[in-house]
Amino acid sequence: MPGPEFATLRDQVAALRAETISATELLELTIARIDKFDDKVNAVVVRDFDRARAAAKRADAALARGDRAPLLGVPVAVKESFNVAGLPTTWGFPDAEGWQPAEDAALVTRVKAAGGVVIGKTNVPRALHDWQSYNDIYGTTNNPWDLTRSPGGSSGGSSAALAAGYVSLALGSDIGGSLRVPAHFCGIFAHKPSRTLLPGRGNTPPRTPALPAPSDLAVVGPMTRSAADLTLATLLLAGPDEVEAVAYKLALAPPRSAELENFRVLVIDTHPLLPTSTVIRDGFDRIARGLEKAGATVARSSALLPDLTLTANTYLTLLMSQFGADASVDTHRALQVADIPPNADTPEAVIRRAFVASHGDWVRADRVRIDLADKWRRLFTEFDVVLCPISPTPAFPHDHSDMDTRTIDIDGTTYPYNYHLVWASIATLIGLPATAAPIGRSPEGLPYGMQIIGPYLEDHTTLRFAELIEQEFGGFTPPPGFA
């Protein structure tokens, strides 16, 4: 096995089964590494080491009996937003500090049932609403590649824990790129599953009932340092919530191909609403040329591609109407009388209008979504995967100023901060699977990645393509100073 700190999930499982390392020894290495590095990274902000040690001892006893549960003895980190009985769930809200749920989230239950050892919870931004991970309770999480930069958000604590070599598996969630952006910023893998594939019960704001009701747009999913580990974890955690399992069973289609040479690939590296930095475009050119050399069929444009501006605006309407539902009456009144030209269709105008959207506005946007979903189905008769950026730049420096005044710097030109949502919208609006995979380094040495988007419920296809990308072009490497 490679050094345990950066071993793959599969290598850790194999070593535990071969008894070349015990669950207790692996956990103590994990704890020692957190003690060594987390003062400067601040990824694991809720630590559950005593219960983890007890779980590791039970895992060792089970391994000695010949138990072969899929994650038996493997340390796992959980995003702070997931309920874990006996640990606080705050979502970064100061008034929720100390609140504890009565039961585990569905994914945490599945991790534990598979033998995983939960070591604690990872940091998030307040309300999970940022591409950074900081809050007034737990402070700021730093990117192991450059401590002055964001590790992404809202699953930034999980991505930083993986990049720093604490664990081989972490849980996250995504509604606006919250799995994909942290993976992109930290050079790891993550899978935003098809919307209904993994149960989100218990990834719930504090003091909110954890009910088995699928959320619109939002998903939960795994994060790892290798693509094959991502496939393993996704399939282990997938399947309907117990309420629906009385009638439904998971039966995913196999990947559309097992080899790169048989894939039909559409590469999109520009967006009508937001430019892509030179370093990201250069990376996509390199990947496209490499895919062609490997025998894949590669296109750089297609008349079948649905309107990306319409996609972004529809997504923003549905997303912001969710946030607006909990806004105060005064906020609604102020926005309703705000001077927003009726025909303005910039993201800023769409966001402000959507915040006070009526139910009728939502229904009309949902009808557009249904039409766009049909267009994506047509596109996927001609292509197997669509490759596109996750964010227009690599990780940016920490910026804790007012979010409404923040900007993105793209090759020296600034754009509104919320424009980060446009690349996330493509897969999220329709609920498509999107696998994030690292593909390169910037001149400053920062990692960056791409999202591999596939047909709805064909998660095997995007996961397999990520495995092939890793084999052909390379994947995760440890950050300097952490190896």
Side-chain angles (χ1 to χ4, degrees):
M1 182 172 79
E5 64 274 19
F6 286 111
T8 66
L9 170 61
R10 288 159 297 126
D11 283 343
Q12 289 183 350
V13 169
L16 288 162
R17 291 178 178 178
E19 299 183 355
T20 59
I21 193 169
S22 70
T24 297
E25 290 169 336
L26 183 57
L27 174 63
E28 292 303 327
L29 288 171
T30 296
I31 292 172
R33 194 160 179 86
I34 293 170
D35 287 342
K36 178 178 180 180
F37 289 110
D38 216 38
D39 281 349
K40 59 183 179 181
V41 176
N42 194 39
V44 183
V45 293
V46 179
R47 300 179 181 183
D48 199 19
F49 295 164
D50 288 343
R51 291 197 301 179
R53 287 184 168 111
K57 288 181 180 179
R58 292 193 297 272
D60 282 329
L63 286 161
R65 294 192 303 269
D67 191 331
R68 292 297 180 261
L71 298 178
L72 189 56
V74 174
V76 180
V78 174
K79 185 176 181 178
E80 203 272 354
S81 59
F82 286 82
N83 287 344
V84 177
L87 298 181
T89 297
T90 70
W91 287 41
F93 292 116
D95 62 0
E97 187 171 5
W99 181 82
Q100 295 184 4
E103 62 183 17
D104 293 340
L107 251 59
V108 175
T109 297
R110 292 183 182 186
V111 164
K112 291 181 177 180
V117 175
V118 173
I119 63 157
K121 302 179 79 174
T122 58
N123 206 19
V124 296
R126 179 187 173 104
L128 314 188
H129 291 175
D130 205 342
W131 297 279
Q132 304 177 79
S133 292
Y134 71 95
N135 58 73
D136 291 339
I137 301 174
Y138 299 121
T140 300
T141 299
N142 300 314
N143 191 323
W145 288 90
D146 180 343
L147 299 176
T148 70
R149 294 176 184 265
S150 169
S154 60
S155 307
S158 287
S159 63
L162 286 158
Y166 299 167
V167 291
S168 60
L169 172 62
L171 301 183
S173 62
D174 192 310
I175 194 172
S178 288
L179 282 162
R180 292 162 284 173
V181 172
H184 165 73
F185 282 1
C186 290
I188 63 162
F189 292 83
H191 185 59
K192 187 206 84 65
S194 294
R195 190 176 70 87
T196 55
L197 190 65
L198 274 66
R201 174 171 51 84
N203 182 48
T204 309
R207 303 189 183 93
T208 303
L211 303 176
S215 173
D216 190 27
L217 301 175
V219 297
V220 294
M223 309 173 80
T224 65
R225 288 191 298 265
S226 89
D229 285 352
L230 198 62
T231 300
L232 184 160
T234 300
L235 298 181
L236 178 66
L237 299 172
D241 203 324
E242 284 67 20
V243 170
E244 294 180 323
V246 297
Y248 300 131
K249 292 183 179 180
L250 182 65
L252 286 176
R256 290 192 173 190
S257 177
E259 304 299 334
L260 278 179
E261 63 186 18
N262 297 322
F263 271 91
R264 302 167 298 169
V265 182
L266 176 61
V267 179
I268 303 295
D269 62 3
T270 59
H271 196 288
L273 295 176
L274 185 69
T276 309
S277 66
T278 300
V279 64
I280 303 292
R281 290 198 316 273
D282 288 348
F284 271 76
D285 286 340
R286 176 175 51 82
I287 293 295
R289 292 194 304 270
L291 288 171
E292 289 174 335
K293 185 176 179 180
T297 301
V298 179
R300 301 302 297 265
S301 64
S302 172
L304 292 173
L305 183 69
D307 186 320
L308 296 184
T309 297
L310 179 62
T311 296
N313 288 344
T314 305
Y315 162 79
L316 291 171
T317 298
L318 297 174
L319 176 69
M320 293 301 166
S321 67
Q322 287 190 37
F323 301 154
D326 297 318
S328 68
V329 172
D330 289 343
T331 298
H332 269 261
R333 286 173 178 163
L335 285 171
Q336 284 171 336
V337 300
D339 184 19
I340 306 173
N343 295 324
D345 62 355
T346 64
E348 300 100 315
V350 172
I351 287 170
R352 294 177 70 190
R353 199 178 295 121
F355 208 77
V356 291
S358 67
H359 180 60
D361 294 330
W362 189 96
V363 169
R364 284 185 285 274
D366 189 47
R367 289 171 181 164
V368 175
R369 169 165 57 180
I370 292 168
D371 182 65
L372 286 167
D374 181 64
K375 288 181 168 59
W376 277 102
R377 282 190 291 270
R378 294 172 188 269
L379 180 139
F380 283 122
T381 65
E382 299 293 330
F383 297 98
D384 301 312
V385 293
V386 175
L387 311 183
C388 61
I390 295 169
S391 170
T393 69
F396 53 79
H398 294 302
D399 181 357
H400 297 176
S401 62
D402 186 333
M403 190 177 291
D404 290 337
T405 63
R406 291 181 202 164
T407 57
I408 314 168
D409 185 306
I410 305 174
D411 291 343
T413 302
T414 58
Y415 298 84
Y417 188 71
N418 275 335
Y419 278 38
H420 271 109
L421 289 166
V422 301
W423 282 117
S425 71
I426 296 173
T428 303
L429 175 64
I430 312 300
L432 302 176
T435 303
I439 60 169
R441 301 283 180 269
S442 73
E444 298 81 14
L446 298 171
Y448 61 87
M450 69 179 178
Q451 55 181 328
I452 305 159
I453 300 175
Y456 181 59
L457 291 177
E458 293 193 44
D459 295 63
H460 261 309
T461 293
T462 65
L463 290 164
R464 177 57 183 163
F465 192 84
E467 293 177 19
L468 296 169
I469 286 288
E470 182 180 30
Q471 293 167 18
E472 186 74 17
F473 303 104
F476 172 81
T477 56
F482 288 83

